[in-house]
Amino acid sequence: EPEVTQTPSHQVTQMGQEVILRCVPISNHLYFYWYRQILGQKVEFLVSFYNNEISEKSEIFDDQFSVERPDGSNFTLKIRSTKLEDSAMYFCASNRDGGNSPLHFGNGTRLTVT
Amino acid sequence: AQRVTQPEKLLSVFKGAPVELKCNYSYSGSPELFWYVQYSRQRLQLLLRHISRESIKGFTADLNKGETSFHLKKPFAQEEDSAMYYCALSPRGYGQNFVFGPGTRLSVLP
């Protein structure tokens, strides 16, 4: 069964540095998402992406965040200048039909900002 | 705004006992409801969705629109059911985000 893949599995960075988290969604999916989960807290929506543009974003997704689909397979999340509170597990997800079909999640990238 | 609540952070039951994980939602429209499960060190994966009305790994969930609930049930818990369970809501429509509840950690004791 096809899976969403994320790299790296763990990223450690210093405060103020830029990070790029990478995801390869399932190939025939059209909608892509980023969620995050701070340790011990719930899964929070960051952004959804469809047809090469952001379709929805949360309050968390401020100007420090950006997403891109640089080619036909990758979907990236960039944090321009990381803060300590950005430390979390970041999950990429994709689905075929937006809100009408289940999300398929990647294994996540654990981001640690020191 | 849509919201999902799961009142229990932790639920412990003995093997073979019935289990019910509670989920309530608030949404003005007609949502789709899902249960996701996260086993230790694994990704979030879909357990079941209300429109399919199927039983997965012995779990069932019924959407009660009057009570705005979507409780997850299993008559006889197994140790391998120990995991984090997340109830999630998707507003009907394309490209709209899923809203997750805070999760319930189920611990099935031998």
Side-chain angles (χ1 to χ4, degrees), chain A residues 79-80 99 104 110-111:
Chain A
I79 308 175
R80 194 165 300 121
H104 294 255
R110 179 164 298 285
L111 176 65

CSV table of all heavy atoms in Angstrom, one decimal, chain A residues 79-80 99 104 110-111:
chain,number,residue,atom,x,y,z
A,79,ILE,N,10.2,26.7,7.8
A,79,ILE,CA,10.1,27.6,8.9
A,79,ILE,C,11.3,28.5,8.8
A,79,ILE,O,12.5,28.1,8.9
A,79,ILE,CB,10.1,26.9,10.3
A,79,ILE,CG1,9.0,25.8,10.3
A,79,ILE,CG2,9.8,27.9,11.4
A,79,ILE,CD1,9.0,25.0,11.6
A,80,ARG,N,11.0,29.8,8.6
A,80,ARG,CA,12.1,30.7,8.2
A,80,ARG,C,13.1,31.0,9.3
A,80,ARG,O,14.3,31.0,9.2
A,80,ARG,CB,11.5,32.1,7.8
A,80,ARG,CG,12.4,33.0,7.0
A,80,ARG,CD,11.7,34.1,6.3
A,80,ARG,NE,10.7,33.5,5.3
A,80,ARG,CZ,9.4,33.7,5.3
A,80,ARG,NH1,8.8,34.5,6.2
A,80,ARG,NH2,8.7,33.2,4.4
A,99,GLY,N,-11.9,17.2,2.0
A,99,GLY,CA,-12.7,16.8,3.2
A,99,GLY,C,-13.5,15.6,3.1
A,99,GLY,O,-14.0,15.1,4.1
A,104,HIS,N,-4.2,10.4,4.9
A,104,HIS,CA,-3.1,9.5,5.1
A,104,HIS,C,-1.9,10.2,5.6
A,104,HIS,O,-1.4,11.2,5.0
A,104,HIS,CB,-2.8,8.8,3.7
A,104,HIS,CG,-3.9,8.0,3.2
A,104,HIS,ND1,-3.9,6.6,3.2
A,104,HIS,CD2,-5.1,8.3,2.7
A,104,HIS,CE1,-5.0,6.1,2.7
A,104,HIS,NE2,-5.7,7.1,2.4
A,110,ARG,N,10.4,14.9,13.8
A,110,ARG,CA,10.5,15.5,15.1
A,110,ARG,C,11.5,16.7,15.0
A,110,ARG,O,12.6,16.5,14.7
A,110,ARG,CB,10.9,14.5,16.2
A,110,ARG,CG,11.1,15.2,17.6
A,110,ARG,CD,11.2,14.1,18.7
A,110,ARG,NE,10.0,13.3,18.8
A,110,ARG,CZ,8.9,13.7,19.3
A,110,ARG,NH1,8.7,15.0,19.8
A,110,ARG,NH2,7.9,12.9,19.4
A,111,LEU,N,11.0,17.9,15.2
A,111,LEU,CA,11.8,19.1,15.2
A,111,LEU,C,12.1,19.5,16.6
A,111,LEU,O,11.2,19.7,17.4
A,111,LEU,CB,11.1,20.2,14.4
A,111,LEU,CG,11.8,21.5,14.4
A,111,LEU,CD1,13.1,21.4,13.6
A,111,LEU,CD2,10.9,22.6,13.8
